Amino acid sequence: MTRADLVASMAAESGWTKAASDRALRALLGSIRTSLKRGQPVTLVGFGTFSVGRRKARRGKNPRTGQPMNVAGGRTPRFKPSPELKRAIQ
């Protein structure tokens, strides 16, 4: 499902226009992004939890040259689905 498909589905389910549904989706995603930037998890009951995970720095290998290289650590988004979501897709 693409973003446009999701917006169309939201519009059909809610009775809103596609423009209003698109604004709502953008607001939701923006709020999730802002919370994750602050390091705060976002829990949507019945759907799942978005959080920020940490990756450690490690040694890797350049696939072109085969030379060892350092891969920087960093923060990465994580998602853990809720039990309800897991049951819904089985």
Side-chain angles (χ1 to χ4, degrees):
M1 177 179 267
T2 65
R3 182 186 187 104
D5 295 337
L6 182 57
V7 168
S9 176
M10 288 172 57
E13 290 286 326
S14 66
W16 295 349
T17 65
K18 285 185 182 180
S21 297
D22 186 52
R23 283 193 303 273
L25 180 60
R26 285 178 192 271
L28 172 70
L29 296 177
S31 296
I32 291 172
R33 187 178 299 116
T34 301
S35 292
L36 292 178
K37 275 185 172 180
R38 293 179 186 154
Q40 301 169 335
V42 177
T43 301
L44 303 173
V45 176
F47 186 72
T49 301
F50 296 92
S51 62
V52 177
R54 286 218 159 309
R55 285 187 312 215
K56 293 182 181 180
R58 61 185 172 85
R59 294 285 288 172
K61 187 191 282 189
N62 184 330
R64 271 196 190 156
T65 64
Q67 296 294 318
M69 59 184 275
N70 292 325
V71 178
R75 296 170 18 141
T76 185
R78 307 258 189 225
F79 176 73
K80 182 179 179 194
S82 71
E84 292 87 5
L85 180 60
K86 288 180 182 179
R87 279 194 300 272
I89 63 172
Q90 289 181 354

